[in-house]
């Protein structure tokens, strides 16, 4: 094998050029690593911070609402129940009729109509009494929960008795079946939602019978 | 003073002179500065990557804490979710047309207005209110009509009929519209 003999000057040049080549290679490696790793890590970091911020916000909103939310949930559920509200509305109407000393007759409940996840049924009835009481009763309908909308009213007065023929709609909707994921953001109530909630607070909820829990007791005669 | 000659310990073939010396020294300096910059840049990049991974790890820790906090507030979350769902339904109901506003306006007016009159018929629909009122005298009718206009509740008031019945008095029918 033939050996190439280099002069001292060439060796010095080769050493310097070798170092330069090494520098270029290392710069390339560092540049490639920086180009691939830095943006990926930055994206991961910003996503993680965003996730944390979402959760922090959610936690803060939930903590701030903790004290009032259950009561408000009850009120809104009274306003739009998850089951057919017609009978609850009838009960509320009877209560309102008693308060205003009027008589409800010819009550008819229509079949369910479903429209965009909101069910409704028509209620038709007559109300009899003295004129101011009937008018107060009609005005009071808008203040009961479950929510109703009065479609049509016809009032006639004869021999001192005022009779109103009323057609209204009672509404209900099924409760949501699933909860959003823990990591999903929640938003606080918007001013519009707060306004609706303040209207709901003023509605008269239906009366319920609460059964107190009882201690277990011995049944003397099992039959 | 004696001037001593510089001592060269390198082999004579490794001593560069003139242009070669300048070029090689320049190249060496360039490589040296390049390495310094490379090391500094590598340290900065590595430091930044370590900082990012440290921040990510600490954020993941915070996330776990927040998740457990949110889990303990699950009932509140359910309540809020239910409230928002119910409010969206209530909004849909309130967006529908109804005569509730007409009833409230008319009832308020009838409660406020004074004078001698008797309402014989009211028909309330979304578009308008048809009202028939019996008055014992023309002055009672005038007072009622004046009050109806003064109340400024209905921009459109039409007196549709006005008749006289000797046994009842004056019978007036109005068409009232809020739109």
């Amino acid at each position: 094998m033939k050996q190439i003999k280099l002069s001292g000057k060439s060796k010095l040049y080769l050493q310097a050029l070798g170092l330069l080549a090494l520098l270029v290679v290392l710069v390339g490696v560092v540049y490639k690593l920086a180009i691939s790793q830095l943006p990926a890590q930055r994206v991961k970091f910003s996503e993680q911070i965003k996730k944390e911020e979402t959760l922090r916000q959610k936690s803060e909103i939930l903590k701030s609402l903790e004290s009032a939310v259950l009561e408000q949930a009850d009120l809104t559920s009274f306003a739009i129940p998850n089951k057919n509200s017609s009978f609850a509305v009838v009960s509320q109407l009877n209560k309102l009729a008693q308060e205003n000393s009027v008589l409800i007759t010819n009550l008819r409940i229509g079949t369910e109509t479903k429209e965009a996840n909101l069910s409704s049924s028509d209620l038709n009835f007559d109300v009899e009494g003295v004129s101011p009481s009937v008018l107060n009763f009609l005005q009071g309908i808008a203040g009961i929960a479950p929510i109703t909308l009065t479609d049509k009213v016809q009032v006639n007065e004869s021999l001192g008795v005022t009779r109103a023929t009323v057609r209204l709609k009672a509404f209900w909707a099924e409760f949501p079946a699933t909860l959003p994921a823990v990591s999903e953001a929640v938003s606080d109530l918007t001013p519009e939602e707060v306004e609706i909630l303040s209207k709901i607070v003023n509605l008269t909820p239906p009366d319920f019978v609460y059964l107190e829990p009882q201690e277990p007791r011995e049944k003397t005669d099992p039959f | 003073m004696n001037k001593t000659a510089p001592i060269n310990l390198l082999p004579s073939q490794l001593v560069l002179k003139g242009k070669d010396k300048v070029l090689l020294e320049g190249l060496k300096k360039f490589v040296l500065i390049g390495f310094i910059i490379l090391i500094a840049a590598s340290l900065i990049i590595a430091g930044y990557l370590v900082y990012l991974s440290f921040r990510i790890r600490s954020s993941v820790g915070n996330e776990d804490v927040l998740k457990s906090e949110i889990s303990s507030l699950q009932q509140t979350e359910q309540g809020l979710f239910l409230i928002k769902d119910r409010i969206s339904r209530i909004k849909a109901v309130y967006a529908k047309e109804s005569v509730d506003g007409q009833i409230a306006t008319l009832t308020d007016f009838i409660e406020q207005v004074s004078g001698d009159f008797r309402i014989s018929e009211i028909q309330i629909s979304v578009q308008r209110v048809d009202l028939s009122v019996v008055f014992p005298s023309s002055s009672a009718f005038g007072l009622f009509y004046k009050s109806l206009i003064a109340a400024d509740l209905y921009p459109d008031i039409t007196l549709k009929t006005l008749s006289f019945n000797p046994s009842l008095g004056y019978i007036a029918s109005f068409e009232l519209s809020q739109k």
Side-chain angles (χ1 to χ4, degrees):
Chain A
M1 213 175 135
K2 200 180 171 185
Q3 273 194 331
I4 301 164
K5 205 160 187 181
L6 294 168
S7 67
K9 192 170 117 181
S10 303
K11 275 183 187 169
L12 287 173
Y13 266 112
L14 272 176
Q15 272 177 10
L17 287 172
L19 283 172
L20 184 66
L22 181 68
L23 176 68
V24 169
V25 169
L26 285 175
V27 165
V29 169
V30 169
Y31 178 75
K32 204 172 176 190
L33 274 174
I35 283 291
S36 65
Q37 287 296 308
L38 272 179
Q41 200 72 351
R42 278 176 66 102
V43 167
K44 201 174 161 188
F45 173 69
S46 63
E47 277 174 0
Q48 181 56 40
I49 292 294
K50 214 168 147 185
K51 219 162 74 173
E52 188 193 334
E53 195 48 45
T54 306
L55 289 175
R56 192 179 301 283
Q57 229 171 31
K58 186 173 181 173
S59 170
E60 277 166 14
I61 288 171
L62 292 178
K63 275 181 194 165
S64 70
L65 295 171
E66 197 180 0
S67 56
V69 86
L70 293 179
E71 194 190 338
Q72 289 172 345
D74 279 348
L75 287 171
T76 53
S77 304
F78 291 147
I80 299 277
N82 65 328
K83 297 262 161 62
N84 192 328
S85 63
S86 305
F87 293 103
V89 170
V90 169
S91 157
Q92 289 286 71
L93 290 173
N94 281 327
K95 198 176 141 197
L96 191 65
Q98 272 180 8
E99 284 168 11
N100 289 288
S101 307
V102 293
L103 185 69
I104 293 178
T105 55
N106 299 329
L107 181 70
R108 295 176 307 281
I109 299 173
T111 51
E112 178 183 346
T113 314
K114 206 164 184 177
E115 184 196 321
N117 297 328
L118 192 68
S119 301
S120 65
S121 67
D122 284 342
L123 272 85
N124 292 279
F125 58 91
D126 294 339
V127 191
E128 284 176 21
V130 290
S131 185
S133 302
V134 171
L135 290 175
N136 278 340
F137 172 85
L138 293 175
Q139 201 177 14
I141 293 173
I144 61 166
I147 288 177
T148 57
L149 285 185
T150 310
D151 268 348
K152 204 173 177 184
V153 176
Q154 191 169 349
V155 183
N156 289 297
E157 199 258 321
S158 168
L159 303 168
V161 177
T162 301
R163 174 193 285 258
T165 304
V166 184
R167 188 178 74 202
L168 56 82
K169 269 186 163 52
F171 297 91
W172 68 97
E174 280 177 20
F175 285 151
T178 50
L179 259 183
V182 180
S183 53
E184 210 166 291
V186 292
S187 53
D188 206 346
L189 295 171
T190 61
E192 193 190 9
E193 287 173 332
V194 171
E195 197 189 320
I196 291 175
L197 204 56
S198 62
K199 267 189 200 173
I200 300 305
V201 170
N202 294 325
L203 298 179
T204 309
D207 293 331
F208 288 104
V209 178
Y210 290 102
L211 294 172
E212 293 292 325
Q214 289 183 334
E215 290 279 316
R217 57 186 177 174
E218 198 182 334
K219 202 170 181 182
T220 47
D221 180 9
F223 306 105
Chain B
M1 282 200 45
N2 287 340
K3 252 193 170 180
T4 52
I7 302 165
N8 183 14
L9 297 172
L10 284 169
S12 59
Q13 69 269 24
L14 291 180
V15 177
L16 294 171
K17 287 175 187 166
K19 231 172 142 185
D20 288 331
K21 190 182 173 185
V22 173
L23 188 66
L24 210 58
E25 277 181 0
L27 195 62
K28 276 181 181 173
K29 266 186 195 165
F30 175 75
V31 170
L32 183 70
I33 292 167
F35 269 111
I36 291 168
I37 291 170
L38 179 71
I39 289 165
S42 302
L43 283 174
I44 289 168
I45 291 165
Y48 188 54
L49 284 172
V50 168
Y51 166 77
L52 283 181
S53 84
F54 174 76
R55 287 287 309 269
I56 289 169
R57 218 178 308 156
S58 118
S59 175
V60 168
N62 291 343
E63 188 190 328
D64 290 341
V65 172
L66 288 167
K67 272 184 179 169
S68 70
E69 264 180 32
I70 290 167
S71 297
S72 69
L73 293 164
Q74 203 183 13
Q75 221 181 350
T76 309
E77 192 186 1
Q78 280 174 355
L80 181 63
F81 192 59
L82 182 65
I83 290 171
K84 284 192 167 270
D85 175 77
R86 295 294 97 176
I87 286 177
S88 70
R89 316 273 185 208
I90 293 164
K91 230 164 88 178
V93 171
Y94 283 154
K96 292 176 187 289
E97 283 188 325
S98 80
V99 300
D100 290 330
Q102 301 266 35
I103 294 171
T105 310
L106 183 69
T107 314
D108 283 346
F109 170 69
I110 292 169
E111 276 173 6
Q112 283 167 20
V113 72
S114 57
D116 198 3
F117 65 90
R118 185 170 56 83
I119 290 169
S120 65
E121 198 180 326
I122 308 170
Q123 272 193 41
I124 304 173
S125 63
V126 176
Q127 291 80 23
R128 63 174 197 269
V129 176
D130 292 311
L131 185 67
S132 289
V133 192
V134 180
F135 303 96
S137 64
S138 60
S139 59
F141 161 73
L143 189 67
F144 182 88
Y145 202 8
K146 203 177 154 191
S147 304
L148 189 58
I149 291 163
D152 203 21
L153 297 168
Y154 299 96
D156 195 4
I157 300 167
T158 311
L159 175 63
K160 282 175 78 183
T161 58
L162 178 64
S163 57
F164 178 73
N165 182 319
S167 59
L168 294 171
Y170 291 89
I171 304 162
S173 63
F174 301 91
E175 190 182 290
L176 314 170
S177 172
Q178 282 185 313
K179 287 172 187 171

